[in-house]
């Protein structure tokens, strides 16, 4: 498969958050690697049961918001992220998920995700800030 065919497989979708293209006023689109990063964010930001027609879609980290901060909770966050990405993002191979608790007192956990795009074999990463206290939200 040529490079264009590989890129086409990665997809193009509406930009997240939804915006308009200033050049023509149409809905702004994201493609390829950016579309994958945005899809990962959508998966992690969606609580299970939040989407009416897909109640299982999303990530279980939102169920852990009021848990006591411990190594068990950190592991549960890592596992919830792994499970969600394995289930809902088939374009990537998950290489690692690590939760950094350094900001826990401020109400935020930094979830570092390393992955490989299956079709192109390109590696990438994303750090997702999981806010578990209202005061931690930006």
């Amino acid at each position: 498969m040529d490079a264009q065919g590989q890129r086409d497989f990665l997809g193009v979708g509406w930009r997240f958050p939804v915006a308009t293209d200033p050049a023509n006023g149409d809905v702004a689109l994201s493609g390829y690697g950016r579309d994958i990063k945005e899809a990962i964010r959508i998966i992690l930001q969606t609580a299970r049961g939040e989407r009416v027609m897909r109640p299982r879609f999303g990530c279980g980290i939102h169920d852990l918001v009021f848990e006591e901060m411990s190594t068990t909770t950190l592991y549960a966050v890592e596992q919830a992220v792994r499970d969600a990405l394995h289930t809902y993002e088939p374009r990537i191979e998950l290489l690692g998920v690590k939760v950094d608790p350094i900001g826990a007192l401020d109400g935020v956990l930094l979830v570092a995700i390393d992955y490989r795009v299956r079709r192109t074999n390109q590696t990438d990463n994303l750090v997702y800030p999981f806010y578990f206290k209202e005061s931690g939200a930006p």
Side-chain angles (χ1 to χ4, degrees):
M1 179 177 285
D2 65 352
Q4 182 62 37
Q6 289 179 348
R7 289 173 54 101
D8 288 343
F9 173 80
L10 298 180
V12 175
W14 284 19
R15 182 161 293 161
F16 180 76
V18 177
T20 57
D21 187 338
N24 58 20
D26 290 342
V27 173
L29 300 176
S30 291
Y32 319 121
R34 181 176 179 159
D35 187 51
I36 290 173
K37 280 189 186 250
E38 290 175 2
I40 291 170
R41 287 190 177 282
I42 290 169
I43 293 165
L44 299 181
Q45 289 175 354
T46 304
R48 286 182 292 189
E50 185 175 341
R51 290 185 62 178
V52 176
M53 300 304 284
R54 292 186 70 193
R56 293 184 184 165
F57 180 84
C59 184
I61 57 177
H62 306 280
D63 299 336
L64 303 170
V65 168
F66 298 109
E67 293 294 320
E68 178 183 333
M69 194 52 54
S70 66
T71 54
T72 302
T73 302
L74 295 176
Y75 177 77
V77 169
E78 287 178 7
Q79 194 59 48
V81 169
R82 275 191 198 93
D83 291 347
L85 294 179
H86 279 297
T87 303
Y88 297 110
E89 188 45 82
R91 297 175 292 181
I92 65 169
E93 174 189 350
L94 204 54
L95 301 176
V97 175
K98 182 70 177 153
V99 177
D100 186 349
I102 198 154
L105 293 177
D106 296 324
V108 64
L109 295 175
L110 298 177
V111 182
I113 302 162
D114 294 313
Y115 63 93
R116 176 180 298 119
V117 178
R118 292 182 192 275
R119 186 56 64 116
T120 63
N121 208 29
Q122 177 182 353
T123 58
D124 207 342
N125 62 25
L126 175 89
V127 177
Y128 175 75
F130 174 54
Y131 297 100
F132 59 92
K133 287 186 182 176
E134 284 185 37
S135 62

